[in-house]
Amino acid sequence: MSELSTEQRLLLVKHVNALMQPDFDALMFALDVPNHVIPSGQAAQGNRASALLQWVKSPNGCGLIEFLKTLDAIAPVPFDVSLDDPTPPETPNEDFRERLPYGVPFPRVRLPDNYVERPEALTAVKEKLLKETDQTLVVSAISGLGGLGKSVLATALVMDEEVQARFEDGILWVTLGQKPDLQTMLGEWIRELDKSREAFSANTLETASRYLNNLLLAKRMLLVVDDVWNAAHADWFRVGGAGCRVLVTTREAQLEGAEYYPLDLMSESQAIDLVRRKLEQQWSEDQTAEVKVFANSVGYLPLALDLATNQVRDGFSWAELQAEFESEREAVALEVLDASEAWEQLSEGEQRNYSLRACF
């Protein structure tokens, strides 16, 4: 079971929101959720539950199956659902860990079950990461609109055998977001590399970043800094010597000296493949024409296609989604356009921008 119905998702959200504090804390401990992911116990339970569920489905989260199994052991889930997944994923989410030397730091990341390879992007960024250079520290950045698949591409790179062989001392991953707890995040990286008491003495951003830099000077490690909104936040993680590389994913933050790779939209065939993998047995070839039209409407944005496919799994037709999207897209445009400016008069690029906003 890789997905839930809309009704099951609503029940799950209510169930997690209603967990008693001891059960919620036990769940976080059992899943080994990073400290910075969940707001403190003083925050509203709804905010903490929302943060947990977002982490579960993220590339470096535990995944829905493991979450449901763990939750069911602590506070049984309120619906009848098989927690076994009889169909192994087509992507190497499990066996790749067997290649890793014992004790080498490695993030708990996973590819989506409906992962679609984007070989041109993977090869281009991998070449940047593997290139030997005399520079003290090389920073590569995957940039582009939200929902393009930047974090998924970074995950695919982390799971690549050549990348793992190049960075023989391990890989570290941090997801920043808009309001990161930088001190905690730096501390987590430090303690991945140094278990001594001295690791706890770096109690400012300056000392923590410097301490981390010293730990990495002689190592060959890949440092992934995901979802950067503010370039100044990423600067604290630009550490290490000539054997290290920093890989950043960002929508639009400008990092001085970084080599950028602008991630493009999916191709039409990749978009169809994503939908086909997601729908599995519900897919039929006669949906192809409607999917092509809808994919073009949402600008071939992977996240928008993924969300739409969830609705198709729940019983919506592509025609219904297309009509609803067109209505929402024009409503978004009317919020910012002069009433006298017609939608049809906008350029293709302007229409695409409003289409992407309408997805969310």
Side-chain angles (χ1 to χ4, degrees):
M1 182 207 67
S2 58
E3 292 294 338
L4 301 176
S5 68
T6 298
E7 181 181 1
Q8 288 174 326
R9 286 197 295 270
L10 289 173
L11 287 171
L12 181 60
V13 169
K14 291 179 180 178
H15 184 56
V16 177
N17 280 343
L19 287 178
M20 300 295 289
Q21 185 74 32
D23 288 342
F24 191 87
D25 291 343
L27 181 62
M28 290 199 300
F29 178 79
L31 294 173
D32 194 21
V33 182
N35 292 333
H36 65 267
V37 169
I38 310 297
S40 69
Q42 297 177 344
Q45 177 65 9
N47 292 341
R48 304 186 80 214
S50 176
L52 175 61
L53 293 171
Q54 288 178 24
W55 172 80
V56 166
K57 293 286 284 182
S58 72
N60 52 331
C62 66
L64 187 58
I65 294 171
E66 182 178 347
F67 174 73
L68 286 173
K69 287 180 178 179
T70 308
L71 174 62
D72 197 55
I74 296 171
V77 292
F79 46 83
D80 182 19
V81 60
S82 171
L83 296 177
D84 295 321
D85 190 359
T87 306
E90 295 181 19
T91 53
N93 269 327
E94 302 299 332
D95 32 330
F96 81 95
R97 295 182 185 278
E98 298 176 3
R99 304 192 296 263
L100 304 174
Y102 178 76
V104 169
F106 197 88
R108 183 162 63 179
V109 293
R110 60 189 298 277
L111 289 167
D113 291 342
N114 62 328
Y115 169 64
V116 175
E117 292 186 1
R118 303 173 74 174
E120 291 184 4
L122 185 71
T123 300
V125 180
K126 187 163 76 169
E127 285 179 356
K128 294 178 184 292
L129 293 178
L130 300 183
K131 180 175 61 178
E132 296 295 342
T133 174
D134 294 332
Q135 287 181 250
T136 303
L137 185 64
V138 176
V139 179
S140 299
I142 304 171
S143 61
L145 292 164
L148 271 182
K150 300 182 294 296
S151 298
V152 173
L153 177 57
T155 300
L157 286 161
V158 162
M159 296 174 64
D160 183 90
E161 290 189 48
E162 290 183 82
V163 171
Q164 292 174 9
R166 162 63 178 82
F167 300 105
E168 57 190 21
D169 292 317
I171 299 173
L172 296 173
W173 180 301
V174 66
T175 299
L176 298 189
Q178 291 179 272
K179 296 180 180 180
D181 183 349
L182 297 170
Q183 184 68 49
T184 297
M185 294 172 174
L186 285 168
E188 289 176 351
W189 273 18
I190 289 171
R191 286 183 283 281
E192 282 276 0
L193 303 171
D194 182 4
K195 308 298 184 184
S196 72
R197 293 180 61 184
E198 291 184 11
F200 293 86
S201 64
N203 50 18
T204 68
L205 289 177
E206 291 80 4
T207 57
S209 186
R210 192 181 311 119
Y211 194 99
L212 183 60
N213 184 68
N214 291 336
L215 291 172
L216 291 167
L217 279 177
K219 293 185 179 294
R220 293 170 66 84
M221 295 191 70
L222 176 61
L223 314 176
V224 182
V225 188
D226 180 42
D227 196 22
V228 173
W229 289 67
N230 186 328
H233 294 163
D235 286 342
W236 299 108
F237 299 88
R238 294 176 64 161
V239 291
C244 293
R245 296 288 185 272
V246 178
L247 177 63
V248 174
T249 71
T250 182
R251 298 189 183 196
E252 55 185 21
Q254 297 300 308
L255 291 91
E256 185 177 352
E259 295 181 298
Y260 275 82
Y261 178 80
L263 185 60
D264 204 352
L265 300 167
M266 275 188 157
S267 67
E268 182 180 85
S269 61
Q270 289 171 337
I272 293 171
D273 195 21
L274 183 149
V275 173
R276 178 184 61 78
R277 289 170 179 264
K278 184 89 171 182
L279 288 179
E280 297 178 323
Q281 290 85 356
Q282 291 178 254
W283 169 258
S284 59
E285 292 300 326
D286 58 6
Q287 298 180 55
T288 302
E290 290 182 305
V291 172
K292 285 182 178 180
V293 173
F294 189 83
N296 181 66
S297 296
V298 300
Y300 301 100
L301 191 69
L303 179 57
L305 286 167
D306 194 66
L307 294 172
T309 307
N310 281 338
Q311 292 182 277
V312 171
R313 290 176 62 133
D314 291 342
F316 285 85
S317 70
W318 288 107
E320 290 172 323
L321 289 178
Q322 184 70 39
E324 184 178 330
F325 176 77
E326 292 292 347
S327 175
E328 183 65 25
R329 180 171 64 174
E330 295 199 25
V332 168
L334 287 173
E335 290 179 8
V336 292
L337 295 178
D338 184 272
S340 62
E341 189 173 3
W343 170 262
E344 292 75 14
Q345 294 174 343
L346 297 175
S347 69
E348 182 179 345
E350 289 172 324
Q351 287 188 6
R352 173 166 287 174
N353 285 335
Y354 291 127
S355 295
L356 297 181
R357 284 186 57 184
C359 295
F360 307 101

